[in-house]
């Protein structure tokens, strides 16, 4: 064995031994995979490592049934032998003229030495140079010959010569001497005794003229920082330094630098006072940090960053940009098409008079007959752009047709019913605001000096007749009363909102009664205005109707609740809690965790595309005059509502599902129940499905964490891990860094809890809040995103209009035709899955993303559990006892069903916040 060790490289023999009757060659410490883990043990493949003429007796020959540790060795000194790299490069589908010319130029110059150069780096140190052992440099063969191939992927070969004592390759450096970048998907090294060594790259390699240094890629073998092989230590640190940058200058689109900044780019002060927006982030208005771009300041305000207006791209690190398939299909392609082409067409077509819908038939005609667009010059443009399916049917003559939203597909009038209004509070697109009513009447937490008395206008007499004979106290004690309370979220902003042109809002509270059937019935709606309003109007209560007039009052009150709900859903639950608060954790992960860190490998699929979609949001959705401001009631105050929720409500330790359910009083701890919780509304589809997914994520994360961190000292002494968590809080969430509620990171269980919360928010929580937006909101009367009129009382001049033509008044209070069609086009796009979507339980390079066999096995178990959950959800949707998800015309609850096809499906849980 001593002789064998000398020949095969001591580290190789120490770290691996052939395990009898196994398909894997395993590193004892980390179960390093050396043969392809897709093979099941039952297949009993027979591996024979080929000998080469140059190294006649070097490589281990494995006996026919893998039952012997048989190594034949002869030579006395290190000998050289060849290994080869199979390099997979992804082609672009579409190239502009400049790219085509550069491609032809690269093909030509490749022949004369301006090529792609690779070098292998060993995990071992070379005693002579005191640096890592390196192979010779090798070039990718046949680039010029293969440059014309139209396939999606092209495989190239590079050949290296290494010494027999080289050890195991742990890294590869790549130099691109071509004119343009290329997308390097993966590299597999073949010819070493340990079997193939895999490198998952998935990265753009820039031309040396733009980025002079060598690109470093590490093999799929994970290492904690203190276990990094000697040969890789310096490279590990260098790569992280490169990703952090120096915080200076403006970022180029080809950069790979991750850094933090405040939201000082939402306004455009150079266009005038109406385009100024406050900076989010800092003591004045706390907010999470975003990705730094380093753009110069505006001319009129040195603290505001100048804007990049569509269609020019915003900077995100190069590898965070959408892949072509996502761009081309419909996510950004569609979003950009909607924002740049469709919306201007809508605005030109629907004249300045800003039509109201005249009745329900006007809305129905958007789905049946369509909307005639004056396309003008944009006609040709629209034909050539990948528009969303919802608007892809722009027919001859410019007729725009919308798809029928799911909410009216089974029962056109369901949305009018109170039971459906109640059902959507626990099974709709925003099922996370409902809370158990613990005190009646409810009390505000706002400062009474500024916002008036904290007491609610709700009284016992408003609700006692709807409690099935119970008193209010009995109903409270029996956990029968629930509330959706937007009073404190909206009241501070109402003076500003109601002064805006064509916007009218209340701060609402809605009380629900839990019936014996397990369904919710709305029994009172409180509508509050600031104390500056005339005293008679500042607080009023609307109760279920008793006649024709009160029927319309009740409809209008429910519409105002829905507009409040749509705003909080979009600005707080969706944008703030799943998009904005995740960005700091992602930036810090790239800056502090090496690509070979096991926790980076775990988080990687859950960070995909988030920086890009958030940058797109800053550019077009949440910015001044963006879609959010123009489509939602709060208008220019939208982001201030988001920031107020961050300051007053958001707590990372309560963002996990069990903690959130307990915070809202929707569940109580109960160790006898499957997830340690008892739901107080048993048929609460979001919570009951969500708890299954939460538990599956938690079990997977716990097994992964315990594999690498068997004890707490490893967690405490992992400098990369601690730096990631510290930077996420102290820099990424700097304005809340002194909060006492941040979880500590000292044990494997702490780490499990933090990671489970992050993965839950990026996957299931985002899916539950996002992919139902068009199915529920695409029919505007069901969930109007804004309201344009208050509800008149008998002393108001408008009361006569309501009395004379209630339907006309109702539609004049809803969004206008332009506002509605614009909103519909955008939420359709946001509700869409792209064809390259990766769902929970799936991974790119599923069998080789990690070089650790036990971890791959554990991931397959997680995938199987996700499939089991999907079957259970399907079963629940067919259970007629569960009335909130099954019944005549009732939509099944599928927003947490893990898998989906592309398009608007109202189901599917992608791994990450990617739209």
């Amino acid at each position: 064995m001593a002789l064998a060790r000398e020949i095969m490289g001591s580290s190789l023999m120490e770290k691996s031994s052939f395990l009898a009757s196994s398909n894997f060659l395993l590193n004892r410490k980390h179960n390093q995979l050396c043969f392809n883990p897709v093979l099941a043990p039952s297949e009993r493949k027979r591996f024979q490592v080929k000998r080469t003429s140059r190294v006649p007796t070097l490589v281990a020959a494995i006996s026919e049934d893998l039952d012997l540790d048989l190594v034949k060795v002869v030579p006395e000194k290190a000998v050289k032998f060849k290994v080869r790299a199979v390099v997979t490069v992804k082609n672009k589908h579409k190239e502009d003229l400049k790219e085509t010319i550069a491609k032809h130029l690269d093909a030509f110059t490749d022949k004369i030495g301006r090529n792609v150069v690779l070098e292998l780096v060993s995990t071992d140190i070379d005693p002579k140079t005191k640096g890592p052992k390196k192979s010779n440099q090798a070039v990718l063969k046949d680039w010029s010959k293969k440059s014309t191939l139209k396939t999606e992927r092209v495989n190239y070969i590079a050949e290296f010569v290494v010494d027999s004592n080289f050890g195991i390759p742990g890294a590869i450096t790549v130099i691109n001497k071509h004119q343009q970048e290329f997308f390097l998907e993966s590299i597999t090294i073949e010819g070493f005794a340990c079997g193939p060594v895999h490198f998952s790259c998935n990265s753009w390699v820039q031309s040396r003229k733009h980025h002079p240094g060598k690109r470093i890629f590490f093999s799929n073998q994970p290492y904690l920082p203190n276990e990094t092989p000697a040969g890789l230590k310096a490279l590990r640190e260098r790569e992280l330094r490169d990703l952090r940058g120096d915080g200076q200058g403006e970022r180029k689109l080809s950069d790979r630098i991750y850094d933090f900044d405040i939201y000082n780019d939402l306004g455009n002060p150079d266009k005038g006072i109406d385009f100024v927006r406050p900076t989010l982030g800092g003591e004045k208005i706390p907010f999470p940090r975003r990705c730094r771009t380093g753009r110069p300041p505006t001319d009129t305000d040195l603290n505001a960053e100048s804007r990049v207006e569509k269609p020019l791209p915003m900077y995100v690190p190069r590898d965070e940009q959408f892949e072509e398939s996502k761009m081309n299909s419909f996510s950004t392609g569609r979003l950009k098409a909607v924002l740049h082409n469709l919306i201007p067409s809508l605005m030109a077509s629907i004249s300045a008079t800003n039509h109201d819908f005249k009745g329900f038939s006007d809305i129905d005609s958007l789905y049946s007959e369509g909307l005639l667009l004056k396309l003008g010059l944009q006609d040709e443009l629209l034909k050539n752009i990948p528009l969303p399916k919802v608007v892809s049917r722009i027919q001859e003559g410019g007729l725009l047709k919308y798809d029928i939203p799911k909410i009216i597909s089974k029962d056109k009038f369901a949305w009018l019913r109170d039971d459906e209004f109640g059902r959507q509070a626990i099974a709709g697109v925003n099922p996370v605001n409902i809370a158990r009513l613990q005190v009646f009447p409810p009390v505000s937490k706002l400062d009474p000096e500024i916002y008036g008395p904290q007491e609610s206008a709700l009284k016992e007499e408003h609700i006692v007749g709807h409690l099935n004979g119970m008193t209010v106290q009995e109903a409270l004690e029996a956990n029968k009363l629930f509330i959706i309370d937007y009073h404190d979220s909206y009241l501070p902003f109402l003076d500003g909102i109601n002064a805006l042109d064509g916007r009218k809002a209340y701060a609402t509270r809605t009380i629900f009664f839990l019936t014996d059937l397990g369904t919710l019935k709305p029994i009172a709606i409180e509508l509050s205005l600031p104390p500056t309003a005339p005293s008679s109007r500042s607080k009023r209560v609307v109760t279920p109707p008793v006649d024709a007039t009160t029927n319309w009052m009740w409809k209008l009150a429910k519409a105002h609740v829905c507009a409040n709900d749509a705003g909080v859903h979009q600005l707080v639950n969706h944008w703030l809690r799943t998009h904005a608060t995740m960005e700091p954790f992602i930036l810090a992960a790239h800056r502090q965790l090496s690509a070979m860190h096991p926790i980076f490998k775990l988080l990687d699929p859950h960070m995909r595309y988030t920086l890009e979609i958030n940058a797109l949001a800053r550019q077009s959705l949440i910015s001044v005059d963006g879609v959010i401001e123009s489509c939602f009631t709060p208008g220019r105050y939208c982001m201030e509502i988001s920031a107020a929720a961050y300051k007053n409500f958001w707590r990372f330790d309560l963002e996990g599902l069990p903690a959130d359910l307990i915070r809202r009083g929707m569940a109580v701890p109960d160790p006898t129940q499957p997830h340690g919780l008892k739901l107080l509304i048993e048929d609460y589809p979001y919570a009951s499905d969500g708890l299954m997914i939460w538990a599956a994520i938690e079990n997977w994360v716990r097994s992964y964490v315990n594999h690498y961190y068997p004890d707490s000292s490893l967690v405490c002494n992992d400098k990369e891990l601690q730096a990631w968590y510290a930077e996420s809080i102290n820099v990424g969430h700097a304005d809340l860094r002194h909060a006492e509620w941040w979880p500590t990171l000292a044990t494997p269980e702490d780490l499990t809890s933090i990671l489970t919360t992050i993965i839950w928010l990026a996957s299931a929580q985002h899916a539950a809040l996002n992919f139902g937006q068009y199915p529920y909101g695409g029919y505007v009367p069901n969930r109007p995103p804004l309201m344009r009129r208050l509800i008149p009382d008998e002393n108001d001049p408008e009361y006569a209009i309501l009395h004379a033509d209630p339907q006309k008044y109702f539609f004049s209070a809803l969004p206008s035709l332009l506002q509605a069609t614009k909103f519909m086009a955008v939420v359709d796009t946001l509700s869409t899955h792209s064809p390259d979507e990766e769902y929970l339980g799936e991974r790119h390079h599923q069998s080789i993303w990690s070089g650790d066999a036990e971890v791959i096995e554990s991931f397959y178990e997680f995938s199987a559990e996700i499939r089991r959950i999907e079957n259970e959800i399907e079963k629940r949707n067919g259970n007629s006892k569960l009335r909130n998800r099954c019944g005549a015309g009732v939509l099944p609850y599928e927003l947490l069903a893990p898998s989906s096809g592309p398009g608007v499906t109202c189901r599917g849980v992608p791994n990450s916040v990617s739209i």
Side-chain angles (χ1 to χ4, degrees), residues 135-195:
S135 70
N136 63 314
Q137 291 195 335
V139 300
L140 285 194
K141 294 180 174 179
D142 299 329
W143 186 282
S144 53
K145 199 188 291 180
K146 293 180 178 178
S147 67
T148 53
L149 290 176
K150 298 289 184 216
T151 53
E152 190 179 0
R153 289 173 178 79
V154 182
N155 287 334
Y156 297 94
I157 303 295
E159 287 188 341
F160 303 91
V161 175
V162 292
D163 280 346
S164 52
N165 60 8
F166 180 82
I168 297 175
I172 292 178
T173 61
V174 181
I175 301 170
N176 175 13
K177 297 182 187 175
H178 290 165
Q179 290 289 307
Q180 65 175 6
E181 63 180 8
F182 65 88
F183 189 80
L184 179 56
E185 189 173 66
S186 64
I187 302 173
T188 301
I189 307 294
E190 298 168 343
F192 281 94
C194 74

Side-chain angles (χ1 to χ4, degrees), residues 436-476:
R436 179 164 56 90
L437 186 61
Q438 303 188 33
V439 177
F440 187 86
V443 180
S444 168
K445 292 193 175 96
L446 296 174
D447 182 350
E449 297 286 309
I450 304 171
Y451 300 108
Q454 293 178 315
E455 290 74 41
S456 161
L458 285 156
K459 300 280 184 284
E460 289 212 9
E461 60 261 29
H462 291 128
I463 66 171
V464 75
H466 303 282
L467 304 181
N468 283 7
M470 297 167 118
T471 66
V472 172
Q473 193 54 37
E474 284 169 340
L476 283 171

Side-chain angles (χ1 to χ4, degrees), residues 484-663:
I484 292 184
D485 189 344
Y486 294 131
H487 180 277
D488 292 4
S489 301
Y490 278 90
L491 199 73
F493 300 96
L494 284 184
D495 279 331
I497 291 169
N498 288 334
L500 296 171
D501 192 24
R503 303 289 164 101
K504 289 292 178 273
Y506 296 100
T508 66
R509 288 187 176 111
T510 310
I511 307 289
F512 296 89
F513 179 71
L514 180 64
T515 70
D516 293 341
L517 296 174
T519 57
L520 288 175
K521 182 172 76 174
I523 56 174
I525 294 171
E526 181 188 34
L527 306 167
S528 299
L529 291 169
T532 47
S535 57
S536 64
R537 309 249 329 233
S538 70
K539 280 184 165 74
R540 63 194 284 195
V541 175
V542 183
T543 52
V546 291
D547 59 18
T549 305
T550 53
N551 197 30
W552 283 101
M553 294 285 196
W554 182 243
K555 271 195 190 74
L556 283 162
K558 288 197 298 182
H560 272 283
V561 171
C562 288
N564 267 194
D565 191 72
V568 169
H569 163 257
Q570 197 66 271
L571 306 171
V572 179
N573 300 330
H574 182 208
W575 166 252
L576 173 71
R577 294 172 67 188
T578 67
H579 283 258
T581 53
M582 285 295 97
E583 188 154 344
F585 291 102
I586 294 169
L587 290 168
H590 285 281
R591 290 166 52 84
Q592 304 297 343
L593 296 174
S594 163
M596 63 171 94
H597 197 293
I599 300 306
F600 185 88
K601 288 184 183 295
L602 175 71
L603 286 175
D604 190 31
H606 305 292
M607 305 191 290
R608 187 183 189 215
Y609 294 153
T610 305
L611 297 184
E612 169 85 332
I613 196 65
N614 286 3
L616 242 151
R618 293 205 319 276
Q619 186 176 36
S620 303
L621 299 180
I622 62 171
S623 53
V624 59
D625 257 6
V627 169
I628 300 295
E629 283 195 4
S630 55
C631 289
F632 289 88
T633 301
R636 61 178 301 154
Y637 303 102
C638 277
M639 292 316 292
E640 290 176 64
I641 286 181
S642 196
Y646 180 65
K647 180 184 176 183
N648 302 321
F649 166 80
W650 187 81
R651 288 180 50 162
F652 181 76
D653 64 323
L654 299 181
E655 285 294 279
L657 180 60
D660 179 53
L661 291 170
I662 290 167
R663 160 170 61 182

